[in-house]
Each structure stands twice: as C-alpha cells, then as structure tokens.
Amino acid sequence: MAKERKEILSDVKNVLIKIGTGVLSGKEGIDLDIVEQLVDEIVELTKKGYQIAVVTSGAIASGMHRMGLSGKLKSMPEKQAAAAIGQGRLMRIYSNAFGKHGLAVAQMLLTTSDLTDRKRFLNVRNTLSALMEWGVIPIINENDTVAVDEIKFGDNDNLAAMMANIIEAHLLINLTNTKGLYDRNPSGAKKAKLIPVVEEITDEIEAAATAEADPVGMGGMKSKVIAAKKVTAFGIPFIIAHGKTKGVLRDIFAGEKIGTLFLPDSEHMKSRKYWIAYTLRSRGKLILDDGAKRAIIEQGKSLLPSGIIKVEGDFHEGDPVTCVDMDGKPLAKGLANYSSSDIDKIKGLKTSKIKQVIGSKPYDEIVHRDNMAVVKEGKKQ
Ligand code: GLU
C-alpha cells in the first residue's frame, strides 16, 4: 500500500462520494447494474463503520432518457425540466438499490447558495447529521430546477467540495468516467500518463485538466481540479477515480494505487490553527478536568462534553473559546461547536446524552481537534 494512502486512510471515517453522470448513464438511461455495483460497495463500507454520504448527478440524463431525448439539450429550461423529470427516477433507483440491503436513503436537493448562507448552511448540516445518526444514506444533488447557473458547468463537483467541508468529511471521492487526472488530454493524439498523486495543484496540473464536457453537461476534468483545490485547502484529501470499474471503492479503501489522489494541504491546517490561536479573540472559557486536559495535551484528542467542569462567558456556536485547566492555566483555544448555554447544560455528560438534553446533536465534540490550537509552553494566546 502506498505510504501516503495508508496514512490518509488510517484517519478516515466520514466519506463523501460523488458519482458523475458519465458513471451512471448507460445505453438505456441510468445503468442499474452500475448503481447496484456501487451501492453494494458503499454498503460494505458502512458495515465496516464508515459513514457515507453521496452526491449524485444523473437527474438530467435520466429525464432525457424518459423523454426520449438525446444529444445536448439546448436551453436551460429544458435541462431544468429534464432534471425535474429525472430526479425522482434517480432517487427511486438509489432507494431500491440501498433498500435491498435494508438501508434507507434521503434526498437532499441543494444549491451552492444554500451553503453560503449561514442559517441555511447550519440547517443543512443539522439535517445531515440527524440522517447520518439514523444510519440513513443522504443522496445529495443540485436543486437543478431552481439553480440556473449551477448546472452550466459540472457544478456537482463544486457542490461535493462544499459538502465535504460541511460534513467535515475525511475523504472526498469523485467517481467519474476517466481513471483520474492525466498529464495531458487522454483523448488527444499523444500518449497520456495517469498522475497517481498530486501533492500541490500547480499551474501544470491545472493545464493538464481539460474542460471538455460530455453531452449531458458535465464539467470534465477542469471542474474536478477546481474542486480539488477547494477540498485540499480545507485539509481534506480528494481522490478522482473511475466509477465504472468494479471494486473501485473497495480498492481505494484497501489503499490500492488507483485514480489520482490529491493530498490535503497541511499548511492549511497550520495557518488555520495560527489564525485560531493568534487572530481570533476568545469569547469565553471552558474549565476542564484533568482527564480532558490529558486527552488534549498528551493524546491529541478533541474536547468532549464529559471533560468540562464549568463554562464562563456568553458565546454562540462557532465562537472562539479558551480551554483552561482547574488552576486557570490556558491549555488550548478553539472554535466551540455549541453555544455557552448549551454547553452549560451538557457539561460533564457523555456525548450520547447530548441529544436527549438539548434536542439535537450536530457534533460529538465541543471543540474539534481540527479547530483547536493547543497552547505551547511559554507562549501566550
Ligand atoms: N445536477 C445535474 C444532474 O443531476 C448534474 C450536474 C453535474 O453533473 O455537475 O443531472
């Protein structure tokens, strides 16, 4: 197993899988065999404890097939109409395929603007976490009937990138109809080589990605590389792989060298932590017991409610807070996932009690490790 793949996979639990139109469409509309093949592999992963959400394309293709249309649809309203026809059919296919394994699916139709509006964004995140807690597979697509700009250009690549950030995915897999990113256009005359790992998205890498779209309006490799830029900047690894290949997901999780792996930007994490530690002004204090202190300082863990003795200050979720030990010595600064009033209610409790006490549990952690800068001895924060 390649070293970087092994390292990345060892930390993965939440996974977002984007399935492109080119993977799903066959001669007779949506290719049911492919859907079943992928669903079987996804179910296998859920049994191993991975939490999976899916971003799927294919609504337009399915609607076109139903209406007996082929080629490229001319106008935006036609594409939107085709999506409106196809979306229900697409969901039925996923619902049947997952249903065979006893799993329920949930449809989520979003536009990227839903994710830039903070209130809607929080609603989306809460819905998703409730679904995932129930063991339901979220099946996400662009809300094509209202999102005119978005279906112009492979936007599900972008949507998946944004969703990966929202669900704090540890890995985003983009399944498409090529084996990954090639050093030149693979349909060109010269022989193209697959790039197995991209450490940094340089101008060369961007130039290697072609923007050719297939007839049903996908964004080609270019929109995937743009998505890769976002995802890796969030600190999330990104894999582009061939979705029709049998066992593709199994192989990825076995650490096989398939597809193109874009490594997460580790500097991103460093600069984010710097920003948390030195730029943000703390809005409150969490006083931690010795167990939580050890977990944070010695074991690199997140902060859970059970380790909190007391809350000070009045802050909202997302606000920066300082974690101190029982002597008042600062240990870490981080972004709180819950407001001070909610933390006050759940402090000292087990994570499993959060929902019971405050009605929902968008997060297990009060401060996630990724959003936490630990105080170095001798440095003031
Ligand atoms: N949302 C479109 C569909 O379901 C696809 C857009 C895309 O491929 O990016 O057909």
Side-chain angles (χ1 to χ4, degrees), residues 132-369:
M132 290 175 99
E133 209 173 298
W134 284 346
V136 173
I137 308 284
I139 308 279
I140 304 156
N141 194 2
E142 189 84 50
N143 192 357
D144 290 325
T145 51
V146 298
V148 171
D149 286 336
E150 283 82 352
I151 46 179
K152 273 194 199 147
F153 179 67
D155 209 65
N156 273 5
D157 293 322
N158 184 34
L159 180 69
M162 292 175 82
M163 286 309 294
N165 187 31
I166 290 177
I167 65 168
E168 292 176 1
H170 304 128
L171 174 65
L172 172 59
I173 301 172
N174 190 313
L175 296 177
T176 184
N177 55 356
T178 59
K179 286 190 173 154
L181 179 66
Y182 286 84
D183 60 351
R184 66 183 80 226
N185 186 344
S187 49
K190 283 200 179 161
K191 207 165 168 2
K193 268 209 318 264
L194 184 73
I195 306 174
V197 183
V198 174
E199 275 172 35
E200 196 193 340
I201 302 172
T202 56
D203 292 350
E204 258 173 20
I205 292 291
E206 285 192 57
T210 55
E212 283 164 291
D214 78 6
V216 263
M218 298 207 329
M221 223 8 106
K222 189 159 186 181
S223 76
K224 291 177 184 50
V225 171
I226 295 172
K229 257 187 156 172
K230 278 193 194 156
V231 179
T232 53
F234 296 141
I236 302 170
F238 181 62
I239 294 176
I240 299 176
H242 196 272
K244 283 194 194 274
T245 304
K246 204 165 183 188
V248 61
L249 294 172
R250 208 171 299 147
D251 288 350
I252 287 175
F253 284 86
E256 301 287 331
K257 237 176 156 183
I258 57 166
T260 301
L261 164 67
F262 293 77
L263 295 179
D265 181 357
S266 55
E267 284 310 307
H268 159 82
M269 276 320 243
K270 281 190 212 143
S271 65
R272 183 173 164 77
K273 294 205 171 180
Y274 188 91
W275 170 71
I276 291 171
Y278 301 108
T279 315
L280 298 180
R281 206 162 62 87
S282 185
R283 304 268 166 200
K285 234 184 230 175
L286 302 176
I287 294 120
L288 313 189
D289 67 14
D290 284 341
K293 175 176 175 176
R294 264 197 312 278
I296 288 175
I297 305 289
E298 289 164 27
Q299 296 160 9
K301 295 250 169 82
S302 297
L303 175 63
L304 300 176
S306 56
I308 302 173
I309 300 174
K310 197 171 161 214
V311 193
E312 283 178 14
D314 186 11
F315 54 86
H316 298 110
E317 56 183 283
D319 279 347
V321 291
T322 306
C323 302
V324 301
D325 68 8
M326 291 193 293
D327 301 325
K329 190 169 148 238
L331 305 171
K333 200 157 120 191
L335 305 180
N337 281 334
Y338 292 89
S339 67
S340 48
S341 58
D342 280 347
I343 298 176
D344 198 40
K345 291 184 203 133
I346 55 181
K347 64 176 190 304
L349 300 181
K350 285 214 157 58
T351 300
S352 56
K353 287 272 182 309
I354 298 181
K355 191 158 177 213
Q356 204 178 313
V357 176
I358 58 171
S360 68
K361 190 191 68 165
Y363 292 100
D364 283 351
E365 310 82 11
I366 299 294
V367 179
H368 193 277
R369 189 71 191 183

